Amino acid sequence: MASISSALLILLNMAGTLLSPRSPPATTTTVAGDGDVDFFFFPFLVLYKSGRVVRFIGTDTVPATTTDPATGVASKDVIIDAAAGLAVRLYMPANVTTSGGGKLPIVVFYHGGAFVTESAFSPTYQTYLNTLVSKAGVLAVSVEYRLSPEHRLPTAYDDSWAALQWALQNARSGGPDPWLSRHADASRLFLVGDSAGGNIAHNMAMRAAGVANISGIALLDPYFWGKRPVRGETNDTATRRWRERTWRFVCDGRYGIDDPVINPVAMARGEWRRLAGVRVLVTVAGLDGLSARGRSYVEAVRASGWGGEATLYETPGEYHVYFLVKPDGEKATKEMDAVVAFIKGEQVNTALRMDAWTG
């Protein structure tokens, strides 16, 4: 959820965070001669029965930069599959000299936007990745996956998986991309994503068992839901019904609201052992309607016998993906430091509320 003014984002967050039930979909409304509305996904887009999609937010993009003035990070865009529209933006920190022979950890990043908006090329994600890459000293691969409703799920999952495989193939076998082939260390792989991107990162880790050795997974305010409320989650019928409807819209009904792709908490304990990686970081914001589900995710993986280390990082008094809205704020800086520490294998340490354990 980026490329919007901070004031508008804060207003939308206060109105109900990610998927607001306050503006139900119109099914017969006519707007400016465009025909009947099939679905109004507030605040992101409207889908007309003609098939035309109009997005209201998350459409701005910025070019890659040879050198970011603030961080010195360089970025470039690479097309993986032109026919499918699959591409990535790569980020390289300044002065690439490390003790590992010039090799850097890889962060594969999946942007948020409820699966229906935003881009790896948006100004907000450009700012976030420049900062992360600079502070963590990593090579980042930010994935431009296709969006719903033009491409319903599982397209975003399939694109994200293809991009992950592409990155690993280049890093492992000296592929055609020189940044990855020369500088990426495939043995130090992290999957990171915010909101819908956190959902994607989890699902990629579930798919990667036996395929990739993942060092860690960072789910930032991840988008998960389910039929029955978890502890601390709203019981409001209208809210829950609306979030089910928006999920059906995103996936065209292919996955139920309790399918593990959207509700991993419902997985059997043994299924968690498929989760590739030895460390998981989940961040939640105290005023986010999705935060209870993020906490339950950590509780579930802890109780599953998975065997890795799970860390919950909570920021009180903030809304969904606040760190994108106010990236220079004190709380956002502390959360960035926590993500960086996680990637570096250091203790996640902050003055804000934090819980850590080994499951």
Side-chain angles (χ1 to χ4, degrees):
M1 186 186 302
S3 326
I4 334 168
S5 72
S6 295
L8 177 57
L9 262 175
I10 293 169
L11 177 63
L12 295 175
N13 282 333
M14 293 177 67
T17 69
L18 179 63
L19 308 173
S20 172
R22 302 176 190 273
S23 296
T27 55
T28 59
T29 303
T30 300
V31 180
D34 284 317
D36 290 343
V37 171
D38 184 60
F39 198 87
F40 177 31
F41 192 169
F42 175 83
F44 304 113
L45 60 78
V46 60
L47 170 65
Y48 294 96
K49 290 186 177 178
S50 66
R52 181 170 176 247
V53 177
V54 176
R55 288 181 170 84
F56 306 118
I57 59 177
T59 59
D60 293 345
T61 61
V62 293
T65 57
T66 303
T67 305
D68 174 58
T71 63
V73 170
S75 57
K76 68 175 182 177
D77 298 333
V78 179
I79 296 173
I80 297 176
D81 185 338
L86 176 59
V88 294
R89 177 162 289 181
L90 303 182
Y91 293 83
M92 179 79 77
N95 302 320
V96 181
T97 56
T98 67
S99 59
K103 296 290 187 177
L104 301 170
I106 311 171
V107 167
V108 178
F109 186 89
Y110 303 106
H111 69 79
F115 294 102
V116 300
T117 192
E118 281 304 340
S119 168
F121 310 138
S122 83
T124 298
Y125 287 107
Q126 178 86 349
T127 297
Y128 186 86
L129 267 298
N130 278 335
T131 303
L132 178 64
V133 166
S134 175
K135 289 189 171 184
V138 297
L139 195 159
V141 181
S142 186
V143 181
E144 177 73 349
Y145 56 84
R146 286 172 288 177
L147 301 175
S148 184
E150 296 92 338
H151 306 280
R152 312 273 186 153
L153 289 178
T155 300
Y157 294 140
D158 293 339
D159 284 353
S160 298
W161 180 246
L164 174 58
Q165 290 182 305
W166 174 86
L168 285 173
Q169 287 166 1
N170 273 267
R172 288 169 173 167
S173 60
D177 183 83
W179 285 14
L180 286 163
S181 62
R182 295 175 188 171
H183 300 293
D185 182 353
S187 69
R188 292 184 289 166
L189 170 65
F190 294 84
L191 306 184
V192 183
D194 74 286
S195 195
N199 175 296
I200 293 174
H202 160 78
N203 281 293
M204 295 305 99
M206 293 296 290
R207 235 189 242 202
V211 177
N213 294 321
I214 298 175
S215 299
I217 308 147
L219 314 181
L220 315 178
D221 293 5
Y223 171 26
F224 298 124
W225 200 248
K227 188 71 174 179
R228 297 176 182 82
V230 296
R231 185 178 40 144
E233 199 170 69
T234 181
N235 288 294
D236 181 70
T237 302
T239 300
R240 303 197 71 84
R241 184 182 300 120
W242 174 239
R243 292 188 175 178
E244 286 191 44
R245 292 187 73 180
T246 53
W247 173 248
R248 284 200 304 271
F249 173 76
V250 165
C251 68
D252 201 24
R254 288 185 178 90
Y255 307 104
I257 197 64
D258 277 331
D259 190 285
V261 298
I262 184 65
N263 187 16
V265 171
M267 290 193 304
R269 290 181 60 179
E271 286 296 299
W272 283 100
R273 292 169 190 167
R274 292 172 43 220
L275 184 67
V278 295
R279 297 166 59 238
V280 171
L281 171 68
V282 178
T283 75
V284 298
L287 301 179
D288 182 5
L290 300 177
S291 61
R293 191 69 52 165
R295 296 185 199 101
S296 291
Y297 179 101
V298 176
E299 292 170 0
V301 70
R302 175 193 182 190
S304 70
W306 165 62
E309 178 184 301
T311 300
L312 174 67
Y313 180 100
E314 181 165 351
T315 302
E318 292 292 350
Y319 292 92
H320 189 67
V321 296
Y322 77 95
F323 49 86
L324 296 178
V325 182
K326 302 176 288 184
D328 297 325
E330 181 181 1
K331 291 180 181 179
T333 300
K334 287 182 178 295
E335 180 159 328
M336 174 63 76
D337 289 344
V339 175
V340 169
F342 175 77
I343 291 171
K344 289 185 174 182
E346 301 169 353
Q347 181 179 359
V348 177
N349 187 18
T350 174
L352 300 176
R353 180 178 173 185
M354 187 272 288
D355 241 319
W357 55 73
T358 301

